[in-house]
């Protein structure tokens, strides 16, 4: 049988962790022929809860699960990691300013970046889920100078999947008939879900829907504010859908996008589409052999340009703020 792949998950005792770990251990992250060894990172107060989850993982008797180890020390948790899912983060609480939020998360993602730099496997792939995901990914990446910057990504796949779901309902088609949807920019309310290059059953999606008012006043805000709507309805933030998107993100990164399709990932910009170099921003990307590439040459009209710019400006501001705080 194959050598197990080491997957480190932070925030393992949280809600997303609880929805995520069982799917990883069952083989859905990497594929049904790849055994996994889990390394869980939590803060000391939550180690006991993580141990409880590990007991349940045992009780599932997953054939692909080669072991579970729990740590409260980042240096140990990332040792030998091939895949790292950075889920644990400091949530924004009432009255907290953006600067406080960035600073608190800098205190988490800086040491985690350093630990990845020091101890992860050479082929490490990092997905940051914890918010503010793009900027947390930037902080970690900046503290891992020996790891190629392209290995640090942030999650906009949940936004991508939310957009697929809304568009499939509107068009009355299965999500499997939709291709080439894009989330641009930041994983925040400024994100831009773009259907102008998307296809429904092989035809242009925007033309097929032919309803600009719906696009502007319904689709875009519904996707961008879906997180808040889930909190309002469920009394807790998205967890199973976030975990599902994290599984999709890594699975696609490792196994490749389908011919004639792409996905959305927040990746380090090379200056494509006017996004300042170095920002971790969401783009249309294809993946192959474990590497991603930004889709080139798409025509961006004024409507899309303004929305991409607004979200990218927010990312630039976040980068400036963490620079000012000395976090990068
Ligand atoms: P949660 O609060 O239930 O769990 C977070 C866990 O992280 C807690 O168990 C906490 O003890 C742990 N943690 C805190 N600091 C840590 C550290 N330094 N090292 C290791 N673990 C640490 O939160 P939930 O619902 O699981 O969400 C996690 C994060 O994911 C939040 O930041 C949330 O905003 C974000 N999120 C991102 C989405 C995206 O699309 N990118 C979607 C949904 C949530």
């Amino acid at each position: 049988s194959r050598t197990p792949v080491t997957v480190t998950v932070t925030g393992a005792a949280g809600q997303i962790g609880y929805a995520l770990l069982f799917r990883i251990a069952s083989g859905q992250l990497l594929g049904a022929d790849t055994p996994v060894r889990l390394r869980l990172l939590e803060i000391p107060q939550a180690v006991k809860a993580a141990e409880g989850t590990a007991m349940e993982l045992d009780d599932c008797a997953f054939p692909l699960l080669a072991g579970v180890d729990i740590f409260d020390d980042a240096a140990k948790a990332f040792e030998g990691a091939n895949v790292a899912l950075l889920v644990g983060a400091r949530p924004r609480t009432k009255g907290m300013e953006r600067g406080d939020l960035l600073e608190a998360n800098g205190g988490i993602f800086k040491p985690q970046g350093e630990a990845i730099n020091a101890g992860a496997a050479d082929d490490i792939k990092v997905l940051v889920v914890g918010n503010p995901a793009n900027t947390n990914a930037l902080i970690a990446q900046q503290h891992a100078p020996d790891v190629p910057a392209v290995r640090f990504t942030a999650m906009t796949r949940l936004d991508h999947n939310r957009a697929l779901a809304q568009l499939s309902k509107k068009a009355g088609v299965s999500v499997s008939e939709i291709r080439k949807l894009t989330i641009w920019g930041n994983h925040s309310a400024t994100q831009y879900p773009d259907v102008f290059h998307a296809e429904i059953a092989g035809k242009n999606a925007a033309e097929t829907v032919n309803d600009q008012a719906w696009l502007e006043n319904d689709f875009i805000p519904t996707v961008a504010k879906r997180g808040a709507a889930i909190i309002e309805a469920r009394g807790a933030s998205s967890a199973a859908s976030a975990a599902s998107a994290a599984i999709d993100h890594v699975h696609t990164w490792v196994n490749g996008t389908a011919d004639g399709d792409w996905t959305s990932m927040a990746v380090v910009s090379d200056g494509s589409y006017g996004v300042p170099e170095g920002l971790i921003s969401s783009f249309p990307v294809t993946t192959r052999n474990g590497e991603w590439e930004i889709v080139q040459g798409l025509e961006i009209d004024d409507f899309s340009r303004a929305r991409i710019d607004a979200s990218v400006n927010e990312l630039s501001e976040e980068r400036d703020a963490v620079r000012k705080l000395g976090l990068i």
Side-chain angles (χ1 to χ4, degrees):
S1 70
R2 295 175 53 173
T3 335
V5 171
T6 297
V7 179
T8 298
V9 179
T10 77
Q15 338 175 59
I16 294 176
Y18 194 74
L20 180 61
L21 293 170
F22 298 87
R23 295 194 56 188
I24 299 173
S26 71
Q28 293 176 56
L29 186 77
L30 299 166
D33 57 352
T34 308
V36 290
R37 194 178 290 285
L38 284 169
R39 293 176 84 80
L40 311 183
L41 178 65
E42 258 297 348
I43 54 174
Q45 308 89 285
V47 162
K48 189 163 177 224
E51 283 167 358
T53 304
M55 288 163 69
E56 284 201 75
L57 284 164
D58 277 348
D59 296 349
C60 292
F62 287 122
L64 290 173
L65 185 57
V68 184
D69 292 293
I70 302 168
F71 305 92
D72 61 9
D73 172 1
K76 293 202 182 93
F78 291 106
E79 237 168 59
N82 305 105
V83 176
L85 302 173
L86 276 46
V87 179
R90 174 75 163 79
R92 179 175 246 164
T93 41
K94 228 181 153 175
M96 202 175 189
E97 299 293 333
R98 190 175 68 166
D100 302 333
L101 181 75
L102 292 171
E103 188 154 32
N105 280 294
I108 295 173
F109 288 87
K110 176 174 183 251
Q112 291 186 0
E114 290 166 347
I116 288 167
N117 197 54
D122 286 343
D123 66 347
I124 179 71
K125 290 182 171 61
V126 181
L127 167 62
V128 176
V129 175
N131 280 320
N134 301 53
T135 296
N136 288 341
L138 178 69
I139 294 169
Q141 182 264 314
Q142 290 285 305
H143 293 281
D146 304 331
V147 178
V150 296
R151 306 287 188 74
F152 284 83
T153 66
M155 190 165 93
T156 52
R157 186 63 172 265
L158 178 54
D159 310 297
H160 181 99
N161 288 345
R162 286 166 170 167
L164 279 176
Q166 294 302 319
L167 187 58
S168 86
K169 280 200 175 122
K170 171 74 174 172
V173 299
S174 152
V175 289
S176 59
E177 295 203 61
I178 304 174
R179 304 217 188 296
K180 299 184 178 175
L181 202 67
T182 307
I183 303 294
W184 297 91
N186 199 1
H187 168 67
S188 78
T190 66
Q191 66 174 268
Y192 172 50
D194 175 2
V195 302
F196 291 101
H197 302 100
E199 294 170 2
I200 297 175
K203 297 202 181 80
N204 182 274
E207 285 165 21
T208 303
V209 168
N210 192 26
D211 187 347
Q212 182 69 18
W214 175 79
L215 270 185
E216 280 185 46
N217 306 324
D218 193 338
F219 174 74
I220 294 173
T222 297
V223 172
K225 295 181 194 159
R226 186 71 165 179
I230 299 285
I231 293 173
E232 177 66 27
R234 211 173 80 86
S237 61
S238 328
S241 55
S244 195
I247 295 279
D248 288 347
H249 177 114
V250 174
H251 190 275
T252 301
W253 190 355
V254 171
N255 294 293
T257 41
D259 283 342
D261 199 3
W262 63 61
T263 189
S264 303
M265 285 169 73
V267 296
V268 63
S269 178
D270 58 358
S272 293
Y273 299 101
V275 180
E277 219 179 312
L279 285 181
I280 296 187
S281 187
S282 191
F283 287 100
V285 304
T286 54
T287 56
R288 217 182 150 179
N289 299 327
E291 292 181 9
W292 55 261
E293 214 173 291
I294 296 171
V295 174
Q296 295 297 330
L298 300 179
E299 220 171 280
I300 307 295
D301 67 9
D302 292 346
F303 180 86
S304 295
R305 185 76 261 166
R307 283 162 179 78
I308 294 170
D309 287 350
S311 195
V312 168
N313 286 343
E314 183 183 51
L315 283 172
S316 294
E317 284 168 22
E318 288 183 15
R319 177 165 70 176
D320 291 347
V322 294
R323 268 197 189 133
K324 232 167 137 190
L325 289 163
L327 295 170
I328 59 170

